[in-house]
Amino acid sequence: MKILIVGTLNGQVGAASQIAVKRGAKVIHTDNINEGLDTLRQGKGIDLVLVDIQLDIETFISNLNGERINTPVVACGVATDAKAAVRAIRAGAQEYLPLPPDAELIGAVLSAVAEESHAMIYHDPIMDDVVRLAKQIAPSDASVLITGQSGTGKEIMARFIHRNSRRKDGPFIAVNCAAIPENLLESELFGHEKGAFTGAVARRIGKFEEANNGTILLDEISEMDPRLQAKLLRILQEREIDRVGGKKPVPVNVRVLATSNRNMEQSVAKGEFREDLYFRLNVVNLQLPSLKERPKDVEILADHFIKKYAKANDMAERPLSPTALNKLLRHSWPGNVRELENTMHRAVLIAGPTEIGEEAIMLSGSPSAQPSADTGQATGNPGDFVGQTVADMERKLIIATLDHCLGNRTHAANVLGISIRTLRNKLKLYGDEGFNVPAAGGNG
C-alpha cells in the first residue's frame, strides 16, 4: 500500500510515517497541496492521502474531483480542532485522524482503505481444483475472468494469481468498476491530458499506465459502460491506451484480470455486455464456489477472523464454543465469506471474556440480528409487513443489512445484490427524508 502525506501534520510527519511503514505501507511526503496534486497526477499508485487539516483541504478535494482523481482522502489534525474536522468531512474527506498519531487508529484506517489480509485460506476439497488451476495459469499472461457470488473472495483470488505470476514484482492495481461513477471511470482507467475537459489542469496518468509491467484487476467488470467496453477491447487487442484528450496512443504491458458476480453469458445474451470483449477476457474462467458449497472452510475461516479482529481491537483471542460453531455450520451464508467475516468481527466485539458463545453469533435472518420496527428496520414477524409499501420494506431491508455489515457500504451492496452506486443513492434519499442511516464503516 502506498500513502501520500501532504503537509507537516503539526510536526508529526515522522511519527505517522514510521507507524504506516511498520504496518507495511510505503510513504511519500509532499509539503503542500500543489505538490500533492502533481504526485497524484504522475500515476505512482497512491492508495490513500493523509492531508494536514491546516491546509486548504476543500480546494485540494475540489481539484481531485475536477481532475477526476478518485483517491481516498483522510484529514489529520489536533484532536481539539473539531470545527476544522467537520469542514474537512463536509469537503469530502472520508475520515478524520486526530494527532498525535495513534498506531491503532492509523492501522484501522489503512485496513479500511485496503484490507490487509489477502491470504488464500481454505480446507474444503472443493477449493483444491480451483486453486490448482489458478496456480497453473498464473505464470502466463492470459486474461482471466473470475466469477462467483458476492463475497466469495474474487479479489483475493486475483491477488493470488498475481503473487504467483512472473509479474509478481510489478504493480497490482485494482479498480472497482461499480464503485466509480461512469463519468469518472474513463479518466480513472486511461488518464487524461491537460485541457481534455473542464478541470483537467494537468496530465493525469490512469490505472492502466500505473499497472504497466504488472497486473490490473477490473472488479465487477459487468457494471462497465458499453462505450468503455469498446475501449477496453481495443486495449486487449492492441496493447495500447488512449488518454482522454490524447493525440497518440500509449503502449502498455499489462495483464488483465476481471471479476463479476453475474452470469456473464446471460449479460451477453441480453446485450448488456459485448460478446467479443467477453471472449477476450474469458481466456480462463475461475468459478469460485459459495461458502455453502465449502462447509469445511467455515470453522477455519471463523478462526482466522477471530485472530484478525482480536488483534485489530487489542482484545484477547477467545475460542468458539461448540454451540456457537454449530450455529455457524447450520447457517446458509448468503453473503459468503464476507458475511462470515462481518459476523466474526461483531462476535469478537460483543462476546464474553472467556469464549465466543452462541449469543454473540448474530446472523442475517435470525431474530437477534434484526432490530425492531421502532428503529425503522424490519422484524421477523410476517404480520408486521401488512400495510407497508414496497418502498418501506426496501428501506428497512437496506438499513438492516447495512447495520449487519457494520456500516460497510461495499459489503452491504454485495449482500443486497445491488451496485454500490444504487446503494449510495438510496441512502442519500433516506438521509434527506430524515431516516437514521448507519454511519460508514470499513471500506464503506
Side-chain angles (χ1 to χ4, degrees):
M1 182 179 191
K2 288 186 180 179
I3 298 176
L4 172 64
I5 297 179
V6 182
T8 65
L9 304 189
N10 286 325
Q12 300 288 340
V13 168
S17 297
Q18 289 175 13
I19 292 171
V21 169
K22 287 180 180 177
R23 296 278 174 163
K26 296 180 180 179
V27 177
I28 299 174
H29 176 244
T30 63
D31 291 325
N32 55 61
I33 61 174
N34 289 331
E35 292 177 1
L37 286 167
D38 284 340
T39 300
L40 290 168
R41 292 171 186 137
Q42 291 166 19
K44 294 186 176 181
I46 303 298
D47 298 295
L48 173 69
V49 184
L50 301 181
V51 185
D52 193 327
I53 207 167
Q54 294 180 346
L55 299 178
D56 189 352
I57 292 181
E58 291 174 311
T59 297
F60 180 71
I61 294 178
S62 176
N63 285 337
L64 291 183
N65 293 336
E67 297 186 46
R68 303 178 184 177
I69 299 175
N70 195 57
T71 304
V73 174
V74 172
C76 303
V78 293
T80 55
D81 199 351
K83 290 183 179 179
V86 170
R87 287 198 304 271
I89 296 297
R90 286 178 176 172
Q94 292 198 0
E95 300 284 350
Y96 172 72
L97 192 64
L99 297 175
D102 176 85
E104 293 307 316
L105 274 176
I106 289 183
V109 169
L110 299 190
S111 181
V113 173
E115 293 181 279
E116 296 171 290
S117 177
H118 302 299
M120 182 69 69
I121 298 170
Y122 68 97
H123 185 68
D124 200 286
I126 196 173
M127 286 293 293
D128 287 339
D129 289 340
V130 181
V131 175
R132 188 180 302 113
L133 178 58
K135 286 182 178 179
Q136 184 177 344
I137 57 93
S140 74
D141 274 342
S143 299
V144 181
L145 181 61
I146 307 169
T147 53
Q149 296 176 7
S150 295
T152 49
K154 295 187 289 295
E155 181 173 343
I156 289 175
M157 175 58 77
R159 291 180 181 273
F160 176 82
I161 293 171
H162 175 71
R163 288 198 306 271
N164 287 274
S165 75
R166 291 176 296 180
R167 297 171 176 265
K168 62 184 179 182
D169 294 326
F172 178 92
I173 303 295
V175 183
N176 189 326
C177 299
I180 302 173
E182 292 174 11
N183 63 322
L184 304 183
L185 185 57
E186 185 172 10
S187 280
E188 186 76 6
L189 291 174
F190 311 128
H192 59 249
E193 296 288 354
K194 180 179 179 180
F197 49 82
T198 302
V201 298
R203 171 184 289 177
R204 187 260 175 107
I205 300 301
K207 297 301 185 184
F208 266 91
E209 287 182 82
E210 286 185 28
N212 199 39
N213 297 318
T215 304
I216 190 168
L217 170 64
L218 302 176
D219 201 14
E220 301 305 341
I221 186 73
S222 49
E223 300 293 327
M224 182 178 284
D225 180 84
R227 184 177 61 86
L228 294 185
Q229 291 179 28
K231 281 202 166 192
L232 178 58
L233 178 64
R234 181 176 178 276
I235 292 172
L236 292 171
Q237 292 172 333
E238 306 296 335
R239 297 295 171 179
E240 58 186 25
I241 59 106
D242 292 307
R243 298 192 192 109
V244 179
K247 295 182 179 179
K248 62 180 181 179
V250 178
V252 290
N253 176 16
V254 177
R255 185 187 195 174
V256 177
L257 308 179
T259 74
S260 178
N261 59 11
R262 294 189 184 185
N263 184 317
M264 292 295 288
E265 292 183 355
Q266 288 184 3
S267 295
V268 169
K270 293 177 182 178
E272 298 169 348
F273 199 83
R274 293 181 63 114
E275 183 178 41
D276 45 6
L277 176 58
Y278 170 67
F279 287 126
R280 280 280 181 176
L281 292 170
N282 197 35
V283 176
V284 179
N285 178 219
L286 291 175
Q287 174 72 37
L288 297 190
S290 67
L291 187 56
K292 185 178 180 179
E293 297 174 286
R294 42 190 285 210
K296 291 184 179 180
D297 285 344
V298 172
E299 183 174 1
I300 188 174
L301 285 167
D303 184 62
H304 167 72
F305 293 134
I306 289 171
K307 289 181 171 65
K308 174 181 176 179
Y309 288 109
K311 181 179 179 181
N313 293 281
D314 196 23
M315 301 174 75
E317 288 181 23
R318 288 147 293 170
L320 274 171
S321 71
T323 55
L325 176 58
N326 188 45
K327 188 173 182 179
L328 293 177
L329 294 173
R330 292 198 316 266
H331 190 56
S332 61
W333 301 111
N336 294 293
V337 179
R338 185 177 291 120
E339 182 186 357
L340 175 60
E341 179 173 5
N342 288 333
T343 298
M344 299 319 300
H345 188 179
R346 187 190 299 267
V348 166
L349 297 176
I350 67 176
T354 59
E355 67 175 6
I356 296 177
E358 183 180 8
E359 71 285 347
I361 306 298
M362 300 173 66
L363 301 170
S364 58
S366 65
S368 61
Q370 296 178 355
S372 70
D374 292 338
T375 66
Q377 300 177 27
T379 69
N381 184 355
D384 294 332
F385 303 155
V386 178
Q388 299 192 50
T389 66
V390 172
D392 288 337
M393 293 307 303
E394 180 185 61
R395 183 187 69 250
K396 292 172 181 178
L397 172 63
I398 287 175
I399 292 178
T401 302
L402 188 61
D403 182 70
H404 177 73
C405 292
L406 305 178
N408 190 304
R409 269 65 172 158
T410 303
H411 292 186
N414 285 326
V415 171
L416 290 162
I418 60 178
S419 72
I420 186 67
R421 190 177 304 119
T422 298
L423 177 62
R424 285 174 175 159
N425 289 339
K426 289 184 180 294
L427 294 179
K428 183 179 185 304
L429 174 64
Y430 301 155
D432 291 343
E433 291 176 346
F435 291 100
N436 184 26
V437 175
N443 263 352

